Amino acid sequence: TPTFKMQALMLREQIVKKFRTWSLEDDVLAIISALTVGDKSKLTREIKATYNAAGVSHILALSGLHIGILSMILSWLFYPLRRVCGGKWIAGFLIVGLLWGFAFLSGLSPSVIRAVTMFSAYVVASIFSEDRFSGFSALTLTAFIMLIYQPMYLFDVGFQLSFSAVAAIVLVQPKLYALWKVDNRFLRYLWGLMTVSVAAQLGTAPLVIFYFSRFSTHFLLTNLWVIPMVSLVLYSAVFLLMLTPLPFVQHLFARVVEALVHVQNEVLRWIERLPGAAVDDIWLD
């Protein structure tokens, strides 16, 4: 309802006000607000241009990456409940409830609804059985539910990009990953990131070219950098909020988070300035 949504937006503004008390730089505050609660109103044109030219503008919109990290944090927090009788049901109920609460808090964008619905399906399936839905089954179930609720989502660019990216990751990434057997743990992690980036790019590049007439050539480099950094920033931001009862420690740790975001932005600016970072004016009828 409009009243409920207004209350969610008011709560979001309270969280952003809390961020302001940490005396963060303007660009850092804008990035933290966008990554944590989906408030993109403070993003400057320069920051948007940098992330767009580097091919990682999707990072600034809450999506599966952010919801996945939040789901992992909640699963870790509520894991002890699984050891008590009925604890699996309680933990699952709390995780799903908090994920949807976060979805309302962030404004119920199609990408967030898609991600939260998918993770909710995984959580519910894990309650009944250790064998979870396959990724593609969860994806199609999510699309079906969202289009029942709002059929016009089908023509939403964010909806199309979100589902095409996840579908490519689910269907293509395992085949790419299987091309090279890696023994070293670090190289295996790196290879996994590379294959996810390539698969997502294969799924979204035609739509990006069609809608925005642009192709980012350094997508592999930027994703290898930004995905671990965004994960680290999100974990740090959540931990920072948990330090609220300790204001002195919180202000000290805020400097760490500020440094992380600053480094992330500077590296992306460097990538933006590389020759041929993006190919523009690609027109498709």
Side-chain angles (χ1 to χ4, degrees):
T1 62
T3 303
F4 184 80
K5 191 167 184 179
M6 183 65 68
Q7 291 175 343
L9 292 175
M10 289 174 62
L11 178 58
R12 184 171 76 175
E13 184 57 32
Q14 290 298 317
I15 295 176
V16 174
K17 284 182 179 178
K18 182 63 180 177
F19 292 161
R20 292 197 192 100
T21 64
W22 299 339
S23 303
L24 300 172
E25 295 179 7
D26 290 343
D27 285 349
V28 174
L29 176 63
I31 295 295
I32 291 291
S33 300
L35 292 180
T36 54
V37 293
D39 182 5
K40 297 189 289 185
S41 62
K42 297 166 184 62
L43 293 171
T44 63
R45 185 173 299 177
E46 290 76 18
I47 283 290
K48 290 180 181 179
T50 295
Y51 277 70
N52 190 34
V56 289
S57 57
H58 59 281
I59 291 295
L60 298 176
L62 292 177
S63 60
L65 173 65
H66 311 78
I67 303 302
I69 293 172
L70 178 60
S71 180
M72 288 175 61
I73 294 173
L74 294 174
S75 298
W76 177 73
L77 288 175
F78 296 129
Y79 184 79
L81 289 175
R82 293 176 173 266
R83 298 178 180 177
V84 302
C85 181
K88 184 183 288 188
W89 286 87
I90 298 172
F93 176 79
L94 289 172
I95 292 172
V96 171
L98 288 171
L99 286 177
W100 279 105
F102 179 78
F104 280 104
L105 178 66
S106 61
L108 289 175
S109 67
S111 61
V112 172
I113 294 175
R114 186 267 306 166
V116 171
T117 305
M118 277 194 70
F119 279 99
S120 298
Y122 279 123
V123 172
V124 172
S126 69
I127 293 175
F128 293 98
S129 172
E130 294 298 326
D131 295 328
R132 299 186 176 189
F133 289 152
S134 72
F136 194 71
S137 296
L139 183 69
T140 52
L141 175 63
T142 302
F144 180 75
I145 293 172
M146 289 183 66
L147 292 174
I148 287 283
Y149 169 73
Q150 176 54 271
M152 295 306 292
Y153 275 154
L154 186 63
F155 304 99
D156 181 83
V157 178
F159 179 92
Q160 294 173 11
L161 288 171
S162 180
F163 274 89
S164 61
V166 177
I169 290 171
V170 170
L171 297 175
V172 179
Q173 190 271 341
K175 295 180 175 60
L176 294 175
Y177 187 76
L179 293 175
W180 185 29
K181 302 296 182 182
V182 187
D183 295 326
N184 183 275
R185 187 175 181 179
F186 174 75
L187 289 178
R188 187 163 60 245
Y189 170 75
L190 197 63
W191 177 238
L193 277 180
M194 291 175 64
T195 54
V196 167
S197 299
V198 171
Q201 193 72 15
L202 288 173
T204 57
L207 288 171
V208 171
I209 293 173
F210 178 73
Y211 286 117
F212 307 110
S213 304
R214 159 172 287 197
F215 179 77
S216 299
T217 57
H218 299 331
F219 70 91
L220 193 56
L221 176 61
T222 51
N223 279 290
L224 286 175
W225 165 253
V226 83
I227 290 177
M229 283 300 297
V230 165
S231 301
L232 186 58
V233 168
L234 282 175
Y235 279 118
S236 300
V238 171
F239 181 67
L240 195 55
L241 287 172
M242 293 170 64
L243 290 174
T244 299
L246 304 169
F248 178 73
V249 179
Q250 188 180 55
H251 276 276
L252 288 178
F253 192 71
R255 306 283 73 79
V256 176
V257 177
E258 187 175 51
L260 288 173
V261 177
H262 183 71
V263 170
Q264 174 181 296
N265 290 346
E266 287 304 310
V267 171
L268 289 179
R269 289 189 179 102
W270 172 75
I271 294 174
E272 178 192 15
R273 292 191 292 267
L274 291 176
V279 180
D280 293 308
D281 300 325
I282 307 173
W283 302 104
L284 299 177
D285 61 28

